[in-house]
Amino acid sequence: MVRTTDTLHESLAELARIEPAFAAVLEQHGNPEPRISPPGATTLLRTIVGQQVSVAAARSMWTKLEAAFGSPPALEKLLGASDEEMRAAGMSRQKAGYIRSLAQLVLSGELALDALPEDNEDAIALLTKIK
């Protein structure tokens, strides 16, 4: 798993070894620094909001979500939000469903984000409970 600058650079070096075009890009531009977000529900919420939309659209949607539900958005408020409130905050029906699912799993304790397993497959199994 890529968690540090070192593991990112190791992974990129392996990709460059396998794919000459990737190696050329790294040669020209160098290694990027990792974009590390703090663990927790807010990061997952931002990921849900940003799925399949432009960066500008995601930023706008996030701003609306924070305006409606707090900064960071309160899981209790998100769980109880109506479809109309979610739509007013820029969320599609599908995004609203994912957001409510995340809120319910975290609030119930079924998904303890501060105690995710180190093993990727085990962590993925827990995170895919978000519907």
Side-chain angles (χ1 to χ4, degrees):
M1 180 176 275
V2 177
R3 292 182 188 234
T4 67
T5 301
D6 289 341
T7 57
L8 173 64
H9 292 178
E10 289 169 12
S11 299
L12 293 172
E14 181 62 19
L15 287 170
R17 187 187 67 73
I18 295 168
E19 177 53 56
F22 198 87
V25 169
L26 285 179
E27 175 89 18
Q28 183 176 359
H29 298 284
N31 285 319
E33 290 304 312
R35 294 183 295 175
I36 299 173
S37 299
T42 300
T43 294
L44 286 175
L45 286 170
R46 287 187 83 97
T47 301
I48 291 167
V49 169
Q51 287 177 326
Q52 299 182 339
V53 297
S54 71
V55 171
R59 190 173 297 121
S60 172
M61 292 163 67
W62 184 256
T63 299
K64 290 177 186 176
L65 197 69
E66 284 188 317
F69 301 103
S71 180
L75 295 180
E76 296 83 359
K77 290 181 180 180
L78 292 169
L79 185 58
S82 69
D83 290 340
E84 292 76 26
E85 290 170 315
M86 290 294 235
R87 199 170 16 264
M91 299 305 114
S92 66
R93 185 176 66 239
Q94 191 165 14
K95 285 184 190 294
Y98 294 147
I99 288 168
R100 286 189 191 107
S101 176
L102 172 63
Q104 188 275 323
L105 289 167
V106 171
L107 291 171
S108 72
E110 189 174 343
L111 179 59
L113 295 175
D114 57 349
L116 285 176
E118 288 291 320
D119 180 77
N120 287 348
E121 295 304 316
D122 291 341
I124 289 168
L126 286 172
L127 291 171
T128 55
K129 288 183 177 184
I130 301 168
K131 300 292 180 209

